[in-house]
Amino acid sequence: MSFIQIGFLAALAALAIPIIVHLVFRQRPKRVELGTLRFLRVVLEHNARRRRVMRWLLLALRLACVALLALLFARPYLLAYSSSGQKKTAVVLIDRSASMELKQEGVRAVERAVASVHELLGKAANNTRFEIAFFDHQVRPLVAPQPGEKAEGKRRDVSVTELASKLVAPAASYGGTDYGAALEWARDVLSKAPAGPRELHIYTDFQQSGLAWSEVDALPEDVAAHLHDLGRAAVNNVAVVEARVERSWLRPDEQTSIHVTVYNGGPFAADDVPIALKLTSQSRKLELREQVKVESGAMESVRLDLPPLAAGLWQGTVSVETEDDLPLDNQRHVALLASPPYQVLLIDGRASPSPVLSSTYFLDAALRLAPPGELYSASPFEPRQIAAGETIPNLDKYDVVVLSSVGDLSRRDADKILGLVERGGGLFVFCGDNVTAEKTTALETAGLSVGTITGIQEATDLPLRFKKWDAKHPIFAAFGDPQLGDLARLSFSTATKIEPAQGATVLAEFQGTLSAVIERRIGKGSVVWFTSSCDGAWGDWTRSRLYLPLVHQFLGYQSGLLAGGRVRYEVLEGPVELPADAVPGSFENERFTQVINSSPRESETDRSTVEEFVNRFGLKPTAETQVEVAAVPEEQTAAGSELIKGEFWHWLAMVLVAGLVVEGLVANRTTA
Amino acid sequence: MSYDPRQLVSPAFFSRLDNLELRARGIVEGFMHGLHRSPFVGFSVEFASHREYAQGDDLRHVNWKLFARQKRLYVKQFDAETNMNLYLLLDVSGSMSCHSKGVSKLDYGAALAAALAHLALKQHDAVGLILWADEVIAHLPPRARPHQLNEILRAIGNIKPQRISNSARAFPQAAELCNHRGIVVVLSDLFDDIDAIMKGFDRLRFAKHEVILFHLWDPWERDLPLEGHYKFHDIETGEVLLTQAEGIRDGYLAEVGRWRDEIEALCRNRSVDRVELTTDDPLDQALLDYLVRRAKSF
């Protein structure tokens, strides 16, 4: 048992009042003389035991009445109104996906959810530990775990007051709905919760598209699920669910198209939905308009052909100019970059007048080709060759520097390259005859080495082959399926033996634990060493069909192409690596432009039934399932005036009244 | 306001007593003519005259000789004799000083004793007075002299109730002093050992005395009409009891009632005429009621 108004317990000091009254008044009896006290004595002796009991009973009743009065004002409530009395854990998941922006009576669904959770907190028993999280495509705990809590699997108890103070509806929601992630988080929290009743409250609109994400392990058996429905039955929504640019990074004065898909989620067909594309690049503007008719529940695509774009970054939106219930999905952000491809500087340590004899011949040729399978025929790289010993030009315009069998690099050049790497560029080093410990001191001094060169390993009976590689690394992720290209088939005759330095990562190895690919992160960029050569001197892999894709992967990784290129599109759904507060828009970074759009799934406002939801995630629903959450009242209830679940002051009031009645009866029948 | 003993000698008081006798006689005679005997007439009588028989007259008093001569029925009338002794045993113990309504039981008893003495002396009966508490404190032997009343009043006026009652000791002494057969009127609250009191009554009855008990109560003693927290003092013993009056009243009344019933039964067994009076009863009215009741019994 605990109390809401603990300060009123000070009134228990009033317990002294009956005692004081008794002590004070017992000193003031009226004096009466009688001829004999024999009758009184008989009566008092006869009732002595009864009177003593009654006196104590009377005192106890009076003290109890005073105590009850004090307790009454202190508003006691049961720590646990369940019979077990154990600490209860309640996990609250609040859907803050984009669809929760739908308004009902002028109030957003997410606001209604937050108000309802406030009500839940207000009524909660004191022994209830709450874990609250907003979720869309990510789970955002209201109180982030403190350092160390996550590792220990323990969470500090956060007071209801603190939670209530932090629980504020987000200003706007853009994310997709991923019930799976949210329930996975809830399952983890509930599994680690201390013994006792466990509850799960989900405040959501039951958006059907949210069901289709990852599989979720079933919640513990004893978890009672409370589902709170905030959805709307009928939604009039026309949305741009896709604005796909055929080539978001193109060459200046090239032409491309944008494929726009419009979805009509409303109950009626939408005729002549106006679509507008608005792009700007510095002072230049481009605007295209189109109209489309979309049937109810259907999607229609429109292709917007852009004129040749001048060099520069073109940013803007594709939008449907209509009014509906969910305005935030009426537009999607687009960005196009008209610029040259990645600039790659190839420094050849074995330059030769005959291009065939130089060590970068095959590399240069491969980089100038588009990788197989790409619609666009042009290569994303524009290599430039210089011979080792030549002055390295200004590297500001370069994205990657490739050293091929380069030794004796000057310290100044090494520092230039270091500067490039620290700014986010890449250095790729192919070994060769010139790459020895003695000849790479400048690189080592500049911190561009990945380890200690201990010599050269030549193949004897069998060629050197990739024994293992990090399939999750972006370089090798494309080769995860051997049918697409088995890296183990590449053969090398010689490789430089490098003992990886601390901080360096071996991405691939030849047989015999001979490092093949070693990476080291420096600043914003990285240095990658390949311990064999990029030409035919140390192997015949240049003739393999994997040569071109592998070197494209090598340099694509270092240039940022594998991370998305110059223009990267992200959708706020699924496990994206975006800041938690990311919002739709087009944002310029140092080496790329990021375009963020809300999840197109959120435009599909179809709702699942509670049964579907429960069956999908194996929940154990309660009688309170699908409680309709009312709109936020205009005037919030005054803090502290609402009744907390488990309060029993009204019972105390009844006991007090009964106690007063009994006290009156006992007092009239009790003699001193 | 305390009771003024001078009332005992006030002309108004005795005037009321004279009227009392007349009123008693009037009431009784008007009520049951022919059977009347004055309360103090008939205890010892002497022939006075004849009168014509009336229905209801005792046939024992018919003068048959006269009937033989006159052929008419005449009954003999008697005058009271003066050789009847009236002993007034007034309890002067401490408990008699209880005076919740201003008049103590002792004052009331004294007034009652004076009244009885007055009435008896008027009939030429000898009246004696014995004041007793733990023993006989004062004694006036019965005399029929006119100034005997003054002696009695003087003795009563000097009473200072301070002693503890001791019936076991006082009653034998008093009985010794009542050496001639007569009427013994005991005026007491009987707040003593009831067995001792009854033994005293037995002794008096054994001596052929007619015993009349005026059982005196203070209203608070009898009814305890109090509410609140009280410290009760026993006047005789000084004992103190602290209690809530209303809480014990029922038990108190029951106990008092049980005691009164016991006294009543014991007195009835001994043919002791018991008259219960409280100090707020009007003295003359109480005495009148008793005299009427007694007259009817003859």
Side-chain angles (χ1 to χ4, degrees):
Chain A
M1 185 178 73
S2 188
F3 304 91
I4 297 172
Q5 306 286 352
I6 293 177
F8 274 106
L9 290 181
L12 285 174
L15 284 172
I17 291 176
I19 299 171
I20 292 170
V21 168
H22 171 73
L23 292 175
V24 167
F25 280 90
R26 71 182 301 199
Q27 303 300 327
R28 298 176 184 174
K30 286 173 262 186
R31 178 188 172 97
V32 170
E33 288 186 339
L34 293 180
T36 184
L37 299 185
R38 61 167 61 183
F39 310 115
L40 276 176
R41 200 183 309 114
V42 169
V43 173
L44 293 177
E45 284 175 2
H46 183 258
N47 296 330
R49 181 181 176 82
R50 177 173 169 272
R51 281 184 301 109
R52 196 158 46 244
V53 171
M54 292 292 271
R55 277 207 308 269
W56 283 111
L57 177 63
L58 187 62
L59 178 63
L61 276 170
R62 286 171 177 168
L63 292 175
C65 287
V66 174
L68 280 172
L69 202 61
L71 294 177
L72 196 71
F73 282 100
R75 292 179 63 190
Y77 60 95
L78 293 174
L79 285 174
Y81 37 88
S82 61
S83 57
S84 66
Q86 292 173 307
K87 192 147 188 166
K88 187 164 77 174
T89 303
V91 172
V92 179
L93 295 174
I94 306 171
D95 187 352
R96 57 160 290 173
S97 63
S99 61
M100 292 291 280
E101 289 291 308
L102 277 171
K103 292 182 179 177
Q104 193 166 339
E105 298 175 8
V107 182
R108 296 185 299 149
V110 69
E111 289 172 343
R112 290 190 292 133
V114 167
S116 186
V117 174
H118 273 293
E119 195 177 334
L120 178 71
L121 292 175
K123 290 179 178 177
N126 197 33
N127 68 332
T128 305
R129 187 174 72 94
F130 280 93
E131 291 277 358
I132 303 176
F134 286 99
F135 74 94
D136 41 20
H137 56 285
Q138 294 177 324
V139 181
R140 307 155 193 261
L142 195 61
V143 179
Q146 297 293 321
E149 287 182 348
K150 204 167 185 176
E152 296 172 8
K154 294 179 181 176
R155 292 296 305 271
R156 71 184 172 99
D157 284 354
V158 182
S159 69
V160 170
T161 310
E162 184 181 345
L163 286 172
S165 65
K166 290 186 175 181
L167 184 58
V168 181
S173 304
Y174 305 100
T177 306
D178 187 354
Y179 292 118
L183 287 169
E184 193 71 23
W185 179 84
R187 190 186 66 81
D188 287 347
V189 172
L190 289 169
S191 300
K192 294 171 184 172
R198 292 182 282 189
E199 285 183 359
L200 171 63
H201 292 264
I202 305 177
Y203 294 81
T204 183
D205 56 1
F206 292 104
Q207 195 175 14
Q208 198 164 30
S209 60
L211 304 182
W213 293 88
S214 57
E215 289 296 324
V216 180
D217 292 336
L219 292 170
E221 277 291 318
D222 60 334
V223 174
H226 301 255
L227 306 180
H228 305 264
D229 186 3
L230 297 119
R232 280 177 50 177
V235 178
N236 178 28
N237 185 34
V238 177
V240 180
V241 294
E242 185 184 41
R244 180 173 57 83
V245 183
E246 283 186 359
R247 291 187 61 228
S248 57
W249 181 22
L250 66 170
R251 307 292 166 258
D253 297 324
E254 281 188 350
Q255 187 271 333
T256 189
S257 301
I258 298 177
H259 297 267
V260 179
T261 304
V262 179
Y263 170 71
N264 180 11
F268 306 106
D271 296 330
D272 302 328
V273 177
I275 301 171
L277 167 66
K278 296 175 182 174
L279 293 173
T280 59
S281 175
Q282 295 178 343
S283 61
R284 293 165 291 186
K285 290 185 179 179
L286 174 62
E287 185 168 332
L288 295 177
R289 289 187 173 277
E290 191 62 76
Q291 287 190 336
V292 67
K293 176 182 178 182
V294 190
E295 297 294 333
S296 171
M299 292 185 187
E300 288 294 336
S301 292
V302 174
R303 192 174 104 173
L304 301 176
D305 294 323
L306 303 181
L309 295 175
L313 177 65
W314 294 81
Q315 294 171 291
T317 58
V318 177
S319 58
V320 286
E321 295 175 333
T322 181
E323 290 186 358
D324 59 6
D325 295 331
L326 192 58
L328 69 90
D329 62 0
N330 286 4
Q331 69 173 19
R332 298 189 78 75
H333 296 271
V334 291
L336 300 93
L337 179 64
S339 72
Y342 287 120
Q343 301 297 304
V344 179
L345 180 63
L346 304 179
I347 303 176
D348 195 337
R350 196 158 47 82
S352 169
S354 170
V356 180
L357 298 177
S358 63
S359 64
T360 56
Y361 172 76
F362 293 101
L363 183 61
D364 181 82
L367 292 178
R368 290 184 186 279
L369 293 173
E374 289 290 326
L375 294 175
Y376 187 56
S377 58
S379 169
F381 303 106
E382 187 174 284
R384 180 193 166 197
Q385 287 180 293
I386 63 170
E390 289 184 37
T391 303
I392 295 179
N394 187 349
L395 297 179
D396 287 347
K397 71 169 190 173
Y398 289 94
D399 299 289
V400 181
V401 171
V402 178
L403 302 180
S404 175
S405 188
V406 175
D408 295 330
L409 195 69
S410 68
R411 178 62 193 273
R412 184 181 174 192
D413 290 341
D415 288 340
K416 277 186 179 178
I417 296 171
L418 178 62
L420 171 69
V421 173
E422 287 178 336
R423 290 195 300 272
L427 168 65
F428 203 100
V429 178
F430 287 98
C431 293
D433 295 329
N434 297 329
V435 179
T436 61
E438 295 77 21
K439 293 181 178 177
T440 57
T441 52
L443 287 174
E444 188 166 0
T445 306
L448 296 172
S449 68
V450 294
T452 306
I453 298 171
T454 58
I456 289 176
Q457 173 79 43
E458 294 185 353
T460 52
D461 298 336
L462 295 172
L464 298 173
R465 295 185 190 278
F466 284 112
K467 178 72 174 178
K468 62 179 181 181
W469 57 89
D470 183 3
K472 292 182 181 177
H473 193 274
I475 293 174
F476 299 106
F479 305 100
D481 185 357
Q483 292 184 357
L484 299 177
D486 188 0
L487 291 178
R489 299 175 71 86
L490 296 176
S491 62
F492 304 88
S493 59
T494 310
T496 303
K497 291 195 288 187
I498 299 177
E499 193 67 34
Q502 192 173 8
T505 307
V506 178
L507 302 181
E509 288 180 355
F510 296 120
Q511 67 266 35
T513 66
L514 180 63
S515 299
V517 182
I518 307 170
E519 181 190 16
R520 185 173 181 185
R521 302 291 308 180
I522 298 173
K524 294 179 180 177
S526 71
V527 177
V528 178
W529 283 51
F530 183 62
T531 57
S532 190
S533 67
C534 61
D535 59 1
W538 282 10
D540 63 349
W541 74 298
T542 54
R543 291 184 293 174
S544 167
R545 64 187 181 93
L546 290 178
Y547 181 80
L548 188 145
L550 186 55
V551 297
H552 269 255
Q553 288 295 110
F554 283 151
L555 297 198
Y557 171 67
Q558 292 220 296
S559 62
L561 181 64
L562 296 186
R566 295 282 195 204
V567 179
R568 303 175 188 179
Y569 280 83
E570 296 285 357
V571 176
L572 292 172
E573 65 176 24
V576 294
E577 292 182 0
L578 287 173
D581 56 351
V583 296
S586 179
F587 309 96
E588 284 187 70
N589 289 330
E590 194 173 341
R591 302 185 74 82
F592 62 92
T593 299
Q594 189 165 49
V595 180
I596 300 174
N597 280 299
S598 61
S599 170
R601 293 169 183 267
E602 292 303 299
S603 302
E604 301 170 18
T605 54
D606 295 339
R607 286 152 41 78
S608 66
T609 63
V610 173
E611 289 74 21
E612 282 176 331
F613 192 88
V614 165
N615 293 333
R616 170 69 176 80
F617 298 110
L619 301 179
K620 181 183 173 187
T622 66
E624 296 176 38
T625 298
Q626 204 174 4
V627 174
E628 185 72 26
V629 178
V632 178
E634 290 181 3
E635 292 182 6
Q636 292 285 348
T637 312
S641 65
E642 63 274 7
L643 209 61
I644 285 182
K645 196 171 183 181
E647 270 195 71
F648 57 97
W649 62 265
H650 41 286
W651 291 108
L652 286 184
M654 282 195 274
V655 173
L656 177 62
V657 171
L660 289 172
V661 171
V662 174
E663 190 271 342
L665 294 173
V666 172
N668 285 335
R669 287 162 175 73
T670 303
T671 56
Chain B
M1 179 194 287
S2 62
Y3 184 75
D4 185 0
R6 288 176 296 181
Q7 286 186 15
L8 293 175
V9 293
S10 72
F13 177 71
F14 289 113
S15 170
R16 287 207 304 274
L17 291 178
D18 291 339
N19 290 335
L20 185 67
E21 187 182 19
L22 292 173
R23 283 159 61 196
R25 184 176 298 164
I27 291 168
V28 174
E29 285 178 350
F31 211 22
M32 198 175 287
H33 179 71
L35 279 181
H36 170 64
R37 285 198 295 187
S38 174
F40 298 99
V41 174
F43 296 124
S44 176
V45 294
E46 186 176 336
F47 174 74
S49 63
H50 286 95
R51 67 169 172 81
E52 200 164 357
Y53 175 79
Q55 188 177 357
D57 283 344
D58 192 343
L59 289 178
R60 289 178 300 178
H61 298 154
V62 174
N63 190 335
W64 297 107
K65 291 178 181 177
L66 194 59
F67 173 70
R69 288 196 302 268
Q70 301 280 338
K71 301 300 180 185
R72 294 173 67 97
L73 286 172
Y74 288 96
V75 294
K76 290 180 277 189
Q77 279 194 311
F78 303 90
D79 279 337
E81 291 182 344
T82 59
N83 58 350
M84 191 64 191
N85 295 315
L86 174 64
Y87 297 97
L88 298 171
L89 271 64
L90 179 59
D91 181 359
V92 294
S93 63
S95 64
M96 290 292 283
S97 63
C98 180
H99 57 283
S100 66
K101 294 289 180 74
V103 180
S104 70
K105 288 181 288 184
L106 184 56
D107 296 335
Y108 193 86
L112 185 56
L116 292 171
H118 174 74
L119 290 175
L121 288 170
K122 273 195 71 180
Q123 301 186 151
H124 312 294
D125 289 330
V127 179
L129 175 68
I130 298 173
L131 304 178
W132 61 277
D134 57 339
E135 60 183 0
V136 172
I137 296 167
H139 169 234
L140 285 176
R143 289 192 179 92
R145 295 176 300 185
H147 60 272
Q148 178 71 356
L149 181 61
N150 293 334
E151 297 290 331
I152 291 172
L153 293 177
R154 189 179 299 115
I156 292 172
N158 292 329
I159 294 172
K160 289 184 179 176
Q162 291 177 346
R163 302 197 183 195
I164 296 170
S165 61
N166 187 345
S167 304
R169 187 176 170 192
F171 262 91
Q173 294 175 354
E176 289 290 330
L177 296 172
C178 299
N179 46 9
H180 297 289
R181 180 185 168 198
I183 300 174
V184 177
V185 175
V186 179
L187 303 109
S188 172
D189 54 12
L190 301 186
F191 288 157
D192 197 5
D193 180 16
I194 195 69
D195 292 334
I197 293 171
M198 289 304 147
K199 281 181 182 176
F201 286 175
D202 288 342
R203 185 159 181 167
L204 291 170
R205 290 294 295 158
F206 183 77
K208 305 295 184 183
H209 292 296
E210 184 177 351
V211 180
I212 299 170
L213 169 63
F214 283 97
H215 191 177
L216 304 178
W217 285 95
D218 185 88
W220 283 13
E221 287 176 343
R222 196 182 65 177
D223 300 327
L224 201 70
L226 303 172
E227 287 191 356
H229 198 208
Y230 282 91
K231 183 186 279 187
F232 292 97
H233 284 253
D234 190 315
I235 296 173
E236 287 191 12
T237 64
E239 181 186 358
V240 175
L241 284 177
L242 200 65
T243 189
Q244 201 78 18
E246 61 269 28
I248 54 147
R249 183 181 301 115
D250 293 343
Y252 183 89
L253 293 179
E255 186 62 23
V256 168
R258 187 194 62 74
W259 188 73
R260 288 162 63 192
D261 292 343
E262 183 184 354
I263 296 278
E264 178 65 29
L266 292 171
C267 290
R268 194 181 302 119
N269 291 342
R270 290 165 176 77
S271 299
V272 173
D273 201 2
R274 175 174 171 270
V275 181
E276 194 172 277
L277 295 171
T278 55
T279 57
D280 57 350
D281 288 336
L283 185 61
D284 50 347
Q285 186 63 44
L287 198 54
L288 175 62
D289 291 343
Y290 169 69
L291 293 177
V292 168
R293 182 157 57 89
R294 181 175 174 85
K296 285 178 183 175
S297 65
F298 282 94

